[in-house]
Structure formats: C-alpha cells, structure tokens
Amino acid sequence: MTGHEYVKRLAADRRVSRDPRRHWPELERIPQDWALNVWVRVVSAFTSYGEEHRRLRNMIAPSFTPRRTEALRPRVQAIVDGLITDLESADPGEPVDLRAEFAYIIPNEVICELFGVPADMRAWTRRVMDAVLNTGASPEQARADYAEMWACMRALADIKRVRPGDDMTSDLIAARDGDFAFDENQLISTLVLMIGAGSETAVNLIAKATHALLTHPDQLALVREGKASWDDVIEETLRLESPIMHMPLRYAVEDIDLDGVTIRKGDAIILAFGAAGRDPALNGESADAFDLTREEREHMAFGHGVHYCLGAPLARLEASIALPALFERFPDMRLAVEPAELVPQASFIANGHRSLPVHLKPVS
C-alpha cells in the first residue's frame, strides 16, 4: 500500500495484525534463512496484536515519555558538542563521511546509554543491528546475522542480570523475572526492536536532512534568514525522505474491502510509510519537492495507530540539536561528490545512504 489514505486506514484498522503466529498462515512455509526473519519472527510489541500488544507496549512506554525524553537533552547536547569538536580537527582537503562520523554516532550512543550497553559491547551491538537492516543479504548471511544478533542481545541481558543498573535493559529484566510473564524470547526480541529501530530512524533523519539542505541551497538560505525553522527542516525531511520506508509485515485478520479491492484473510500487507508522504493526493503536484514553506506536510514517517513509534520524540530531539549545531559550526559545508554518486543502503526498510562525504571547510 503506497497511497496515504490507504496506508493510514490500514495502520489504524483493528482487522490488521502484526502477529504472524496468529494471523499469517504462510509463516510455517517461510525458511529460517529469510532476510526479513528478524522483522517477522521476533516476539515483541512490534509483532503482537490486541491485548498482548498493549501489555508489551505498556512495559516499554514509560522510558519514552516526553519528560524522560526531554531529560536526555543535556546528554544529547554533550555528544553533539564532542563530535563537532572532533570534526573541527579534520583536514579541510579531505572529505569527511558525515554519516559515519556524526549522524550515525549520536543516536547509537544515546540508545546504548539508555539501554545500558557496556562500552566494550557497543561496536558488536552496532554491527549486528546494521546487519539486520541489510535486507539484501544472501540466505546464508541472513541466517548468520540472525544468530549473531540473538547472541549479542542475550549477552547484554546476561551482563545486566549480573550487573543491573539504571537503564532500560535492567528494567525489562526486572519485568521478565517479576510478575509480568515477560518471557525470555520477548525480552531478547524487545531489545532487538528498541536498540535497532531506536537508532536507525534518527541516523537517517539527521543524514537525510543534511543532504537535503546541501542539495537545496535556496532552502538552507531560508533557515539562515529566519524564514524557516529547524522544525520545518525536520518535518519536511520526514515527509519527503522517511527514515524508514517500509515496515514489514502486517496481516489481514479477516477479509477487508478497501474501496472495491479485497485483502483476503491471512494475506500479508506492506505499508509504504515513506511513499505515503509523497502522495500527490495529499501534498499536491509538488509532493516530490523539498519545500520548507509548505503549509501542509502530513506524513507517517513514525507510523500511525497503535504501533506509532514510541521513539519519535527522541529522534526529533536528536535532530533538533544536531542539525543547527552542524550548520552553525560549518557554514561552508558542501558535498564532496555529486549527489548522483551517493549509494543507497542495501535495505528494503531503511532509507539512507551508505555514506555522506562532505567538505566541512573551504579548501585554502
């Protein structure tokens, strides 16, 4: 589904489930080396339905309230400031991969701190989360990536059982070992969901917003002249370049008539949240343009309905700190390659570039 109206309707429809174990008969025929297994077979709020979804979501929601998100502002600011300082020392004649050296680090550090990932585990954690986003992996690689991802998150849980702290993983373990019937599979699956999805969205938001401004100098000028805000930049980027393009999968609980088209009970459904923001029916014939003066920019970059992304306020917070800091410190920043040379991620899910090479300062 790519049209905004239909994506929105189905995302909020109670006849649409995200639980393949209950509502997707084809699951038993799906091989264990399928590249989307990590998005389908895990057992968490992400892949649950009805009362079970509400129960699991309510266990993680307290960590993403507006108050707790706002409390992270000083830490996000400190991470951004440190990275900006590091970037200052870059050789003006050499390009810097802004995705790897800036956009990627901020959300990953924040989410790792939120979940108490030890410093010596963070490289491993980032590697396995990157791997599960590679939906173009071969069957052999997909199987290996799934196993390593599971091993990494289990190792984190084992560490936190021995050395609990003031972090989300310890809270989830307390629930797992307490009175909430939160089993081990759900614990590991929830860690996968929150640490993986909790970082990638903001990585691509920051990187795509930077790319959009560098390739639309007229729009960047509006920001610098005070005619557009950084919030405008963030929301227009989310609309035009949704960080997550597709979020597999959903399933029809019963037959659904969609204006004359029938989705049969048990059918798998893919909602193209990224495409919905570009629907001309909603945003007019200029839907494919990056326009900070746009009066309406409705989008579903963070989903819709009961599965709306809990981390949306955190992603917006990170971008609202990172983007102005970057452009204020490096006003002469420019792409180091032609836009057409940038290579997309090998992912059906994430919408980003593999790298974003820039020159931060003029070359003397």
Side-chain angles (χ1 to χ4, degrees):
M1 292 295 164
T2 58
H4 180 275
E5 176 189 351
Y6 296 117
V7 171
K8 190 171 185 177
R9 279 168 57 177
L10 288 174
D13 196 321
R14 294 185 178 182
R15 298 170 297 174
V16 176
S17 167
R18 295 205 61 173
D19 188 341
R21 297 163 298 281
R22 293 172 59 185
H23 300 123
W24 194 30
E26 291 294 316
L27 180 64
E28 63 184 32
R29 289 191 281 274
I30 298 299
Q32 294 294 328
D33 54 10
W34 188 37
L36 292 181
N37 264 331
V38 69
W39 301 96
V40 172
R41 292 190 187 275
V42 292
V43 184
S44 67
F46 183 78
T47 55
S48 299
Y49 175 74
E51 183 58 38
E52 181 68 355
H53 167 258
R54 287 188 289 274
R55 184 179 73 86
L56 294 174
R57 186 179 173 95
N58 287 341
M59 292 175 65
I60 55 181
S63 290
F64 295 93
T65 62
R67 181 183 61 82
R68 291 195 70 170
T69 298
E70 184 60 29
L72 292 170
R73 180 179 292 276
R75 183 58 189 140
V76 176
Q77 186 70 61
I79 293 171
V80 169
D81 290 346
L83 293 174
I84 292 288
T85 299
D86 291 342
L87 291 174
E88 280 276 14
S89 62
D91 183 344
E94 294 296 325
V96 171
D97 181 356
L98 207 59
R99 186 184 195 278
E101 302 298 329
F102 187 71
Y104 183 84
I105 297 175
I106 299 163
N108 276 284
E109 283 300 298
V110 171
I111 206 71
C112 282
E113 290 184 12
L114 189 61
F115 280 81
V117 179
D120 60 358
M121 269 195 71
R122 292 187 183 182
W124 185 21
T125 301
R126 289 193 292 266
R127 187 175 72 250
V128 299
M129 292 306 169
D130 288 346
V132 300
L133 287 163
N134 179 17
T135 55
S138 67
E140 295 76 17
Q141 188 62 51
R143 184 189 291 271
D145 290 342
Y146 188 89
E148 187 179 15
M149 174 271 296
W150 204 260
C152 180
M153 292 298 97
R154 187 178 294 280
L156 173 61
D158 290 343
I159 289 170
K160 288 308 195 179
R161 281 198 172 95
V162 176
R163 300 195 302 273
D166 183 18
D167 56 72
M168 188 61 182
T169 303
S170 298
D171 292 346
L172 290 173
I173 289 170
R176 156 73 180 95
D177 297 337
D179 300 325
F180 290 91
F182 193 50
D183 66 32
E184 189 75 2
N185 194 10
Q186 291 170 335
L187 169 64
I188 302 302
S189 295
T190 299
L191 291 175
V192 171
L193 163 65
M194 300 309 299
I195 295 177
S199 57
E200 186 66 20
T201 300
V203 170
N204 287 334
L205 171 56
I206 295 168
K208 281 288 189 173
T210 302
H211 172 263
L213 291 172
L214 294 180
T215 53
H216 296 82
D218 58 323
Q219 299 298 302
L220 177 56
L222 293 178
V223 179
R224 288 176 168 159
E225 293 164 6
K227 296 177 181 178
S229 69
W230 287 107
D231 285 344
D232 292 329
V233 172
I234 291 168
E235 296 309 311
E236 181 66 351
T237 302
L238 288 168
R239 183 199 68 80
L240 184 67
E241 295 286 0
S242 176
I244 301 296
M245 294 298 288
H246 309 92
M247 190 54 74
L249 286 172
R250 284 169 165 80
Y251 320 94
V253 175
E254 58 186 72
D255 285 359
I256 300 172
D257 177 66
L258 209 61
D259 295 343
V261 176
T262 300
I263 302 175
R264 297 297 181 189
K265 177 180 178 180
D267 278 354
I269 304 167
I270 293 175
L271 301 185
F273 290 108
R278 291 174 175 249
D279 189 346
L282 180 71
N283 288 304
E285 293 305 315
S286 66
D288 283 337
F290 183 72
D291 182 3
L292 298 182
T293 66
R294 190 183 301 277
E295 292 185 4
E296 297 293 336
R297 57 170 63 96
E298 184 177 345
H299 62 76
M300 286 182 285
F302 293 115
H304 180 69
V306 297
H307 285 279
Y308 183 80
C309 178
L310 286 169
L314 178 57
R316 285 186 168 105
L317 174 69
E318 290 167 341
S320 72
I321 293 172
L323 291 169
L326 181 67
F327 280 88
E328 288 169 12
R329 186 67 67 91
F330 303 109
D332 299 308
M333 179 171 53
R334 66 196 188 282
L335 284 178
V337 298
E338 291 299 319
E341 296 179 49
L342 296 173
V343 180
Q345 286 176 271
S347 180
F348 170 74
I349 295 167
N351 175 30
H353 295 114
R354 295 185 185 181
S355 64
L356 186 63
V358 302
H359 289 295
L360 294 170
K361 303 174 185 178
V363 179
S364 55

